[in-house]
Amino acid sequence: MEDGDTTEEAVVVPVSIGDEQPFPHSLSRHRDSEEESPHETLRDTKASIENIVAEILSLKNQGKPKPLLTLRLRELLTQTFLHFVTLRQANRSILMEEERARTETERAKAPLELATHQLQNLTYEKSQFVKAIKACNDSKSKYPDIEVVSEEEFFRDAPQDMKDSVLSNHSEHNVVLKRLNFELFQRKELCKLHDKLEQKIKTLLETIASRKKFLSSLPSLLKSLKKASLPVQNQLGVQHTKKLKQHHSAELLPPPLYVIYSQLLAQKEAFGESIDVEIIGSVKDAQAFAHHQAHKETGISITVESPKLENDEPNEEDGQRQSKRPRRFQGKESLDQEGIFQIHPLTVNLHVYDDEISDLESAKLTTLKFEYLMQLNIICVGNKASNDGPENDILSDLFPDDTGLELPHQSAKLFVGDAIMFNGDRTSRPYKWAQHLAGIDFLPEVAPLLLASRETSDSDEAAKGEEFITSLSQYRQQSRLQTVLQKIRSGRKAQLALQ
């Protein structure tokens, strides 16, 4: 039997649909399929069709009689058709279920999209809020050092209406706002006070300017007043202006000259000595020299072009070289060039009068000039009234062995060397008694006791040594200044008597 004949016979044979006897298995499967899900029905139907096809193939291969085979094939074909109907029903059910699911999905999609859009909006708002919070946390004030009043100060000093005001529903924020308002109130009050003080300062500055103007014109007024009072001072014998000027100049004196000046003034005021003391010289040069010395002592370098104020000191290397080489003779001209005879700009003049004559103009005996050599640190004295030369001056004979031709102390001699410092060309000489008056004390080169105990064959030298010891002892026992003045008076009187 061929497959085409089998198909034609299956189609020709009438099958009664209402007769359920020949198809009990397919009907029961169809009822079960209504209770199952479409996908399960589809899977089961597919499995049944595969079994029927396998059975048909096995029947054709067995070689059974044709009537029996044809009947069985018809039954199997009928079952296959029924299964196809079931497949179509299951497929329709699946499609309808998909359509229903699609419709429900479309219906639920709109709320989902709305919720998604709202979620995106909320996420964006959250990011903006986070960004704003971060910006607020990171923001810095233009004036970070300004502090607001504390809560204790606010509740203690703030006005009552400011304390009772309500600026915010949040309690802490309300307190902060009220503190800020109180701070603003205080600053406004301080600004008003600042304006008042500025006005007061302006008034005071104007007053100060007017008074400074008056004070600037006051020296000229005082100067004219002093000039007008000079005749009265001369008439009354009160030299107040001259005394002030002398005291001002005394502040610029070097220490040795200042000691002489102060001792002479004290002697005059305490014992009524018939002397006059005055300071002569350039006050401006003395001020410049004092300024130079002050800066030199403090170690501050200054530039002074005046040769009078320069102090040429050899450095250490030159000193070492000079110490290794023999000292050469230095003449007077070379010493003057090196500034050995550099004199301080101010000098002290001492006018000595005869204490037995009341008229000072006719009683004037002599005038002594005290000078200070800055490089050698010695005092030189000259007699202005002597015209016979230093060798015939009374100052050379005041004390034994003190002619003033030699330097008084060893340091000055070492500084100068073997040069002849003082001869007939210089009227001022460094007498030893002048150094004592100036407070420059030094030890003698030879001990006085050695001179007294020295054994010598020359009787004149022994007598000279004893005379020196006696004179020195007498000089130390008496007041130095009184002794000098007495010897100057007696020597000058004797000189005038010889003339």
Side-chain angles (χ1 to χ4, degrees):
M1 179 178 179
E2 296 179 357
D3 293 339
D5 298 335
T6 305
T7 303
E8 291 177 358
E9 292 177 355
V11 174
V12 173
V13 175
V15 178
S16 178
I17 299 174
D19 191 2
E20 296 179 358
Q21 295 296 328
F23 311 108
H25 178 71
S26 62
L27 294 177
S28 62
R29 181 176 297 276
H30 179 70
R31 287 192 299 266
D32 293 338
S33 63
E34 293 179 356
E35 296 176 1
E36 295 177 355
S37 64
H39 293 281
E40 294 178 355
T41 304
L42 183 63
R43 183 174 57 255
D44 295 341
T45 304
K46 176 184 175 184
S48 300
I49 292 173
E50 290 177 352
N51 293 331
I52 293 171
V53 172
E55 186 177 356
I56 290 172
L57 292 176
S58 63
L59 290 176
K60 285 185 176 183
N61 295 328
Q62 287 178 2
K64 291 182 178 182
K66 188 175 181 179
L68 295 175
L69 181 60
T70 302
L71 182 62
R72 183 59 183 164
L73 289 175
R74 287 179 179 178
E75 292 178 357
L76 293 174
L77 289 175
T78 303
Q79 293 177 5
T80 301
F81 293 150
L82 292 175
H83 285 306
F84 277 116
V85 172
T86 304
L87 285 177
R88 292 185 64 183
Q89 291 178 353
N91 188 23
R92 186 180 297 109
S93 299
I94 290 173
L95 293 176
M96 292 177 64
E97 185 177 357
E98 289 179 356
E99 185 67 22
R100 181 177 56 80
R102 187 181 295 107
T103 304
E104 292 179 356
T105 301
E106 293 292 336
R107 190 182 303 113
K109 186 178 180 180
L112 179 61
E113 291 179 354
L114 179 61
T116 304
H117 185 66
Q118 291 178 352
L119 178 61
Q120 293 177 353
N121 292 338
L122 293 176
T123 304
Y124 177 76
E125 291 179 1
K126 177 184 176 181
S127 63
Q128 294 298 320
F129 282 129
V130 171
K131 188 183 297 185
I133 292 171
K134 184 178 180 182
C136 292
N137 292 331
D138 296 339
S139 64
K140 295 182 179 179
S141 175
K142 187 178 181 180
Y143 307 99
D145 298 334
I146 296 178
E147 298 180 357
V148 186
V149 294
S150 61
E151 293 186 8
E152 292 79 5
E153 295 180 1
F154 171 73
F155 288 111
R156 185 182 68 245
D157 301 333
Q160 190 62 34
D161 56 347
M162 191 173 293
K163 294 179 184 178
D164 299 337
S165 61
V166 178
L167 302 176
S168 176
N169 296 328
H170 196 275
S171 59
E172 295 182 359
H173 187 57
N174 187 28
V175 172
V176 173
L177 292 178
K178 290 191 289 186
R179 286 170 58 193
L180 291 174
N181 289 336
F182 181 60
E183 181 72 21
L184 179 61
F185 172 75
Q186 285 186 330
R187 294 187 181 223
K188 288 182 179 179
E189 295 296 326
L190 290 176
C191 289
K192 294 179 182 178
L193 180 61
H194 178 267
D195 295 338
K196 292 181 181 179
L197 293 178
E198 286 288 342
Q199 187 65 27
K200 187 176 180 180
I201 290 174
K202 185 178 180 181
T203 306
L204 292 176
L205 289 176
E206 293 176 355
T207 305
I208 292 172
S210 62
R211 292 183 180 180
K212 281 185 177 180
K213 185 177 181 181
F214 171 73
L215 290 176
S216 61
S217 62
L218 188 60
S220 60
L221 297 177
L222 292 177
K223 188 175 181 181
S224 61
L225 182 60
K226 287 181 180 180
K227 288 183 180 180
S229 64
L230 285 178
V232 180
Q233 293 181 14
N234 295 332
Q235 187 68 25
L236 298 177
V238 181
Q239 302 294 332
H240 181 69
T241 304
K242 185 177 180 181
K243 188 176 180 181
L244 289 178
K245 185 177 180 181
Q246 292 291 315
H247 287 350
H248 177 69
S249 301
E251 296 177 355
L252 301 174
L253 288 174
L257 286 181
Y258 186 84
V259 172
I260 293 177
Y261 178 77
S262 61
Q263 285 190 2
L264 292 174
L265 282 184
Q267 185 73 19
K268 178 182 178 181
E269 294 177 358
F271 299 101
E273 287 283 350
S274 298
I275 58 175
D276 279 337
V277 186
E278 62 178 350
I279 300 174
I280 305 299
S282 175
V283 178
K284 292 183 178 180
D285 293 342
Q287 289 177 348
F289 177 77
H291 183 70
H292 173 77
Q293 290 297 114
H295 281 274
K296 184 178 179 181
E297 291 177 0
T298 54
I300 303 175
S301 61
I302 58 174
T303 303
V304 180
E305 297 180 357
S306 176
K308 295 182 180 179
L309 302 180
E310 291 180 355
N311 189 6
D312 298 331
E313 297 181 354
N315 54 18
E316 297 180 357
E317 295 181 358
D318 294 340
Q320 294 176 358
R321 293 177 183 175
Q322 291 177 3
S323 63
K324 295 179 181 179
R325 297 176 183 176
R327 185 179 298 275
R328 292 182 295 181
F329 175 78
Q330 294 179 344
K332 181 176 178 297
E333 296 180 356
S334 63
L335 292 178
D336 287 336
Q337 291 177 358
E338 292 181 2
I340 299 298
F341 293 101
Q342 183 182 357
I343 301 175
H344 193 272
L346 299 180
T347 59
V348 177
N349 288 354
L350 172 62
H351 304 284
V352 182
Y353 301 96
D354 191 353
D355 53 357
E356 297 177 356
I357 302 175
S358 59
D359 188 8
L360 295 180
E361 295 182 359
S362 60
K364 186 175 182 179
L365 296 176
T366 183
T367 299
L368 302 182
K369 182 180 180 182
F370 294 87
E371 300 174 342
Y372 176 64
L373 300 185
M374 295 180 289
Q375 294 288 342
L376 301 178
N377 190 26
I378 59 175
I379 295 293
C380 293
V381 186
N383 189 357
K384 288 187 176 182
S386 178
N387 297 324
D388 299 332
E391 64 276 0
N392 298 323
D393 192 4
I394 59 173
L395 300 180
S396 301
D397 300 327
L398 288 182
F399 296 98
D401 197 19
D402 190 8
T403 60
L405 295 177
E406 296 181 357
L407 292 173
H409 49 80
Q410 285 291 102
S411 60
K413 291 180 180 180
L414 293 175
F415 185 78
V416 173
D418 299 331
I420 299 175
M421 290 291 299
F422 298 94
N423 50 20
D425 297 336
R426 299 189 64 85
T427 58
S428 298
R429 293 183 178 179
Y431 300 100
K432 296 179 181 179
W433 58 267
Q435 316 307 317
H436 289 294
L437 287 182
I440 304 175
D441 293 327
F442 51 89
L443 294 174
E445 298 181 10
V446 181
L449 295 177
L450 183 61
L451 290 176
S453 61
R454 181 182 299 173
E455 295 180 0
T456 177
S457 60
D458 193 353
S459 59
D460 294 338
E461 291 184 0
K464 186 177 180 181
E466 293 178 359
E467 183 182 356
F468 175 75
I469 296 291
T470 305
S471 179
L472 182 61
S473 176
Q474 182 182 2
Y475 176 71
R476 287 178 176 176
Q477 291 175 0
Q478 298 177 356
S479 174
R480 291 180 177 179
L481 190 55
Q482 289 181 352
T483 304
V484 172
L485 292 177
Q486 289 175 3
K487 287 183 174 292
I488 290 174
R489 282 194 180 95
S490 61
R492 183 58 179 167
K493 285 180 182 181
Q495 191 179 27
L496 291 176
L498 291 177
Q499 294 177 358

